Amino acid sequence: MTNYIITEGQEMGKCPELPGKHNCTSNNDCIGGSYKRTGHGQMTGVCATTTNTCEVLAWCPVEDDRTIPNPPLLMSAENYTLFIKNSVTFPLFGVTRSNLVEGIDTNYISKCLYDPKKAPLCPIFRLGDIVELSGFSFEKLALEGGAIGIVVDWTCNLDVHVKHCKPEYNFHGLYGNPADTDSTSASIGYNFR
């Protein structure tokens, strides 16, 4: 977690929807029992005159994610680490390999940090490095959250000794191009409703 919004005192009940979600001028605009896909709950059939939005049966007050803490509240997550364990099996050849290959022992793991050039076999990854290697900015990603894919490539030539079968790591964002600055892109961040 890199950022969060707190809505204190939420309770199940009836409350007005956020402006822009279910705008209304009368009860006729709020069909009781129906839902809007982007809304926070089931409409009660009442137009709340204080906000001119439909009243919903939901966790109240509804979560308002229009204002996000900036800078992100947990920027220190950039320095958190991730220990990745994985393996590959080639059943036709009776070969199973773990990413903890020769030379990767407890002593090495206690000191190493993944670097594509200096320590390409280290299974300990700094979150900030993962984001940077995917082409994104950690600060920008930490604002609304995101998802990074980690591809572990096991391209192995089993005609040579198995010790040459080693993983390679690649990283990419799962929701767009890092060069894309268009804020209207679909599903930026880690969405919640």
PDB file of all heavy atoms in Angstrom, residues 130-131 133-136 141 146-150 171-178:
ATOM      1  N   ILE A 130      11.610  -2.210  -9.205  1.00  0.00           N
ATOM      2  CA  ILE A 130      10.671  -2.932 -10.072  1.00  0.00           C
ATOM      3  C   ILE A 130       9.874  -1.932 -10.906  1.00  0.00           C
ATOM      4  O   ILE A 130       9.727  -2.088 -12.117  1.00  0.00           O
ATOM      5  CB  ILE A 130       9.722  -3.830  -9.237  1.00  0.00           C
ATOM      6  CG1 ILE A 130      10.499  -5.011  -8.643  1.00  0.00           C
ATOM      7  CG2 ILE A 130       8.552  -4.319 -10.085  1.00  0.00           C
ATOM      8  CD1 ILE A 130       9.680  -5.848  -7.664  1.00  0.00           C
ATOM      9  N   VAL A 131       9.364  -0.891 -10.251  1.00  0.00           N
ATOM     10  CA  VAL A 131       8.567   0.122 -10.961  1.00  0.00           C
ATOM     11  C   VAL A 131       9.429   0.850 -11.981  1.00  0.00           C
ATOM     12  O   VAL A 131       9.035   1.031 -13.137  1.00  0.00           O
ATOM     13  CB  VAL A 131       7.910   1.099  -9.969  1.00  0.00           C
ATOM     14  CG1 VAL A 131       7.221   2.238 -10.706  1.00  0.00           C
ATOM     15  CG2 VAL A 131       6.918   0.371  -9.075  1.00  0.00           C
ATOM     16  N   LEU A 133      12.176  -0.195 -13.456  1.00  0.00           N
ATOM     17  CA  LEU A 133      12.536  -1.096 -14.550  1.00  0.00           C
ATOM     18  C   LEU A 133      11.359  -1.372 -15.486  1.00  0.00           C
ATOM     19  O   LEU A 133      11.555  -1.797 -16.623  1.00  0.00           O
ATOM     20  CB  LEU A 133      13.100  -2.414 -13.995  1.00  0.00           C
ATOM     21  CG  LEU A 133      14.491  -2.296 -13.361  1.00  0.00           C
ATOM     22  CD1 LEU A 133      14.825  -3.515 -12.523  1.00  0.00           C
ATOM     23  CD2 LEU A 133      15.542  -2.054 -14.439  1.00  0.00           C
ATOM     24  N   SER A 134      10.146  -1.113 -15.011  1.00  0.00           N
ATOM     25  CA  SER A 134       8.968  -1.272 -15.876  1.00  0.00           C
ATOM     26  C   SER A 134       8.746  -0.020 -16.722  1.00  0.00           C
ATOM     27  O   SER A 134       7.889  -0.003 -17.594  1.00  0.00           O
ATOM     28  CB  SER A 134       7.719  -1.557 -15.038  1.00  0.00           C
ATOM     29  OG  SER A 134       7.265  -0.385 -14.401  1.00  0.00           O
ATOM     30  N   GLY A 135       9.511   1.038 -16.427  1.00  0.00           N
ATOM     31  CA  GLY A 135       9.412   2.265 -17.189  1.00  0.00           C
ATOM     32  C   GLY A 135       8.527   3.323 -16.558  1.00  0.00           C
ATOM     33  O   GLY A 135       8.325   4.390 -17.129  1.00  0.00           O
ATOM     34  N   PHE A 136       7.988   3.053 -15.385  1.00  0.00           N
ATOM     35  CA  PHE A 136       7.095   3.991 -14.718  1.00  0.00           C
ATOM     36  C   PHE A 136       7.813   4.705 -13.581  1.00  0.00           C
ATOM     37  O   PHE A 136       8.885   4.299 -13.154  1.00  0.00           O
ATOM     38  CB  PHE A 136       5.862   3.261 -14.169  1.00  0.00           C
ATOM     39  CG  PHE A 136       4.894   2.840 -15.239  1.00  0.00           C
ATOM     40  CD1 PHE A 136       5.043   1.634 -15.903  1.00  0.00           C
ATOM     41  CD2 PHE A 136       3.825   3.652 -15.589  1.00  0.00           C
ATOM     42  CE1 PHE A 136       4.165   1.244 -16.891  1.00  0.00           C
ATOM     43  CE2 PHE A 136       2.936   3.271 -16.577  1.00  0.00           C
ATOM     44  CZ  PHE A 136       3.101   2.065 -17.237  1.00  0.00           C
ATOM     45  N   LEU A 141       3.059   6.285  -9.688  1.00  0.00           N
ATOM     46  CA  LEU A 141       2.335   5.037  -9.465  1.00  0.00           C
ATOM     47  C   LEU A 141       1.790   4.970  -8.044  1.00  0.00           C
ATOM     48  O   LEU A 141       0.674   4.503  -7.819  1.00  0.00           O
ATOM     49  CB  LEU A 141       3.270   3.848  -9.721  1.00  0.00           C
ATOM     50  CG  LEU A 141       2.618   2.485  -9.707  1.00  0.00           C
ATOM     51  CD1 LEU A 141       1.986   2.212 -11.059  1.00  0.00           C
ATOM     52  CD2 LEU A 141       3.656   1.420  -9.416  1.00  0.00           C
ATOM     53  N   GLY A 146      -1.177   0.740  -8.622  1.00  0.00           N
ATOM     54  CA  GLY A 146      -0.990   0.181  -9.947  1.00  0.00           C
ATOM     55  C   GLY A 146      -0.600  -1.276  -9.877  1.00  0.00           C
ATOM     56  O   GLY A 146      -0.542  -1.869  -8.803  1.00  0.00           O
ATOM     57  N   ALA A 147      -0.332  -1.830 -11.023  1.00  0.00           N
ATOM     58  CA  ALA A 147       0.045  -3.240 -11.108  1.00  0.00           C
ATOM     59  C   ALA A 147       1.212  -3.374 -12.071  1.00  0.00           C
ATOM     60  O   ALA A 147       1.190  -2.814 -13.170  1.00  0.00           O
ATOM     61  CB  ALA A 147      -1.138  -4.074 -11.591  1.00  0.00           C
ATOM     62  N   ILE A 148       2.220  -4.092 -11.640  1.00  0.00           N
ATOM     63  CA  ILE A 148       3.405  -4.340 -12.458  1.00  0.00           C
ATOM     64  C   ILE A 148       3.512  -5.847 -12.677  1.00  0.00           C
ATOM     65  O   ILE A 148       3.440  -6.625 -11.733  1.00  0.00           O
ATOM     66  CB  ILE A 148       4.692  -3.841 -11.755  1.00  0.00           C
ATOM     67  CG1 ILE A 148       4.617  -2.351 -11.440  1.00  0.00           C
ATOM     68  CG2 ILE A 148       5.931  -4.172 -12.587  1.00  0.00           C
ATOM     69  CD1 ILE A 148       4.627  -1.436 -12.629  1.00  0.00           C
ATOM     70  N   GLY A 149       3.658  -6.229 -13.927  1.00  0.00           N
ATOM     71  CA  GLY A 149       3.855  -7.636 -14.255  1.00  0.00           C
ATOM     72  C   GLY A 149       5.328  -7.980 -14.175  1.00  0.00           C
ATOM     73  O   GLY A 149       6.181  -7.208 -14.616  1.00  0.00           O
ATOM     74  N   ILE A 150       5.625  -9.128 -13.583  1.00  0.00           N
ATOM     75  CA  ILE A 150       7.003  -9.611 -13.507  1.00  0.00           C
ATOM     76  C   ILE A 150       7.063 -10.904 -14.293  1.00  0.00           C
ATOM     77  O   ILE A 150       6.416 -11.894 -13.944  1.00  0.00           O
ATOM     78  CB  ILE A 150       7.450  -9.845 -12.053  1.00  0.00           C
ATOM     79  CG1 ILE A 150       7.332  -8.547 -11.252  1.00  0.00           C
ATOM     80  CG2 ILE A 150       8.877 -10.391 -12.009  1.00  0.00           C
ATOM     81  CD1 ILE A 150       7.599  -8.703  -9.765  1.00  0.00           C
ATOM     82  N   PHE A 171      10.076  -6.613 -16.411  1.00  0.00           N
ATOM     83  CA  PHE A 171       9.002  -5.934 -15.679  1.00  0.00           C
ATOM     84  C   PHE A 171       8.233  -5.018 -16.630  1.00  0.00           C
ATOM     85  O   PHE A 171       8.830  -4.368 -17.487  1.00  0.00           O
ATOM     86  CB  PHE A 171       9.613  -5.092 -14.548  1.00  0.00           C
ATOM     87  CG  PHE A 171      10.600  -5.857 -13.723  1.00  0.00           C
ATOM     88  CD1 PHE A 171      11.950  -5.884 -14.060  1.00  0.00           C
ATOM     89  CD2 PHE A 171      10.183  -6.578 -12.618  1.00  0.00           C
ATOM     90  CE1 PHE A 171      12.861  -6.605 -13.307  1.00  0.00           C
ATOM     91  CE2 PHE A 171      11.095  -7.304 -11.858  1.00  0.00           C
ATOM     92  CZ  PHE A 171      12.431  -7.313 -12.208  1.00  0.00           C
ATOM     93  N   HIS A 172       6.913  -4.977 -16.472  1.00  0.00           N
ATOM     94  CA  HIS A 172       6.095  -4.080 -17.288  1.00  0.00           C
ATOM     95  C   HIS A 172       4.808  -3.713 -16.551  1.00  0.00           C
ATOM     96  O   HIS A 172       4.267  -4.509 -15.796  1.00  0.00           O
ATOM     97  CB  HIS A 172       5.782  -4.697 -18.654  1.00  0.00           C
ATOM     98  CG  HIS A 172       5.035  -5.987 -18.563  1.00  0.00           C
ATOM     99  ND1 HIS A 172       5.656  -7.205 -18.355  1.00  0.00           N
ATOM    100  CD2 HIS A 172       3.715  -6.259 -18.621  1.00  0.00           C
ATOM    101  CE1 HIS A 172       4.747  -8.154 -18.301  1.00  0.00           C
ATOM    102  NE2 HIS A 172       3.562  -7.612 -18.457  1.00  0.00           N
ATOM    103  N   GLY A 173       4.348  -2.475 -16.766  1.00  0.00           N
ATOM    104  CA  GLY A 173       3.088  -2.031 -16.183  1.00  0.00           C
ATOM    105  C   GLY A 173       1.926  -2.757 -16.848  1.00  0.00           C
ATOM    106  O   GLY A 173       1.970  -3.031 -18.041  1.00  0.00           O
ATOM    107  N   LEU A 174       0.895  -3.066 -16.081  1.00  0.00           N
ATOM    108  CA  LEU A 174      -0.231  -3.825 -16.624  1.00  0.00           C
ATOM    109  C   LEU A 174      -1.398  -2.948 -17.053  1.00  0.00           C
ATOM    110  O   LEU A 174      -2.488  -3.443 -17.272  1.00  0.00           O
ATOM    111  CB  LEU A 174      -0.718  -4.836 -15.567  1.00  0.00           C
ATOM    112  CG  LEU A 174       0.282  -5.920 -15.193  1.00  0.00           C
ATOM    113  CD1 LEU A 174      -0.302  -6.842 -14.141  1.00  0.00           C
ATOM    114  CD2 LEU A 174       0.706  -6.720 -16.413  1.00  0.00           C
ATOM    115  N   TYR A 175      -1.191  -1.653 -17.176  1.00  0.00           N
ATOM    116  CA  TYR A 175      -2.317  -0.791 -17.531  1.00  0.00           C
ATOM    117  C   TYR A 175      -1.933   0.352 -18.440  1.00  0.00           C
ATOM    118  O   TYR A 175      -2.507   1.423 -18.378  1.00  0.00           O
ATOM    119  CB  TYR A 175      -2.985  -0.232 -16.267  1.00  0.00           C
ATOM    120  CG  TYR A 175      -2.013   0.412 -15.338  1.00  0.00           C
ATOM    121  CD1 TYR A 175      -1.590   1.712 -15.525  1.00  0.00           C
ATOM    122  CD2 TYR A 175      -1.480  -0.316 -14.298  1.00  0.00           C
ATOM    123  CE1 TYR A 175      -0.662   2.271 -14.698  1.00  0.00           C
ATOM    124  CE2 TYR A 175      -0.548   0.253 -13.469  1.00  0.00           C
ATOM    125  CZ  TYR A 175      -0.152   1.542 -13.663  1.00  0.00           C
ATOM    126  OH  TYR A 175       0.780   2.099 -12.836  1.00  0.00           O
ATOM    127  N   GLY A 176      -0.977   0.179 -19.264  1.00  0.00           N
ATOM    128  CA  GLY A 176      -0.671   1.238 -20.216  1.00  0.00           C
ATOM    129  C   GLY A 176       0.803   1.389 -20.500  1.00  0.00           C
ATOM    130  O   GLY A 176       1.642   0.659 -19.987  1.00  0.00           O
ATOM    131  N   ASN A 177       1.072   2.373 -21.311  1.00  0.00           N
ATOM    132  CA  ASN A 177       2.414   2.679 -21.746  1.00  0.00           C
ATOM    133  C   ASN A 177       3.004   3.735 -20.812  1.00  0.00           C
ATOM    134  O   ASN A 177       2.359   4.737 -20.537  1.00  0.00           O
ATOM    135  CB  ASN A 177       2.297   3.219 -23.183  1.00  0.00           C
ATOM    136  CG  ASN A 177       3.630   3.540 -23.798  1.00  0.00           C
ATOM    137  OD1 ASN A 177       4.601   3.812 -23.097  1.00  0.00           O
ATOM    138  ND2 ASN A 177       3.675   3.519 -25.116  1.00  0.00           N
ATOM    139  N   PRO A 178       4.221   3.556 -20.317  1.00  0.00           N
ATOM    140  CA  PRO A 178       4.804   4.539 -19.407  1.00  0.00           C
ATOM    141  C   PRO A 178       4.894   5.937 -20.005  1.00  0.00           C
ATOM    142  O   PRO A 178       4.855   6.930 -19.292  1.00  0.00           O
ATOM    143  CB  PRO A 178       6.197   3.999 -19.099  1.00  0.00           C
ATOM    144  CG  PRO A 178       6.297   2.667 -19.689  1.00  0.00           C
ATOM    145  CD  PRO A 178       5.105   2.433 -20.561  1.00  0.00           C
TER     146      PRO A 178
END
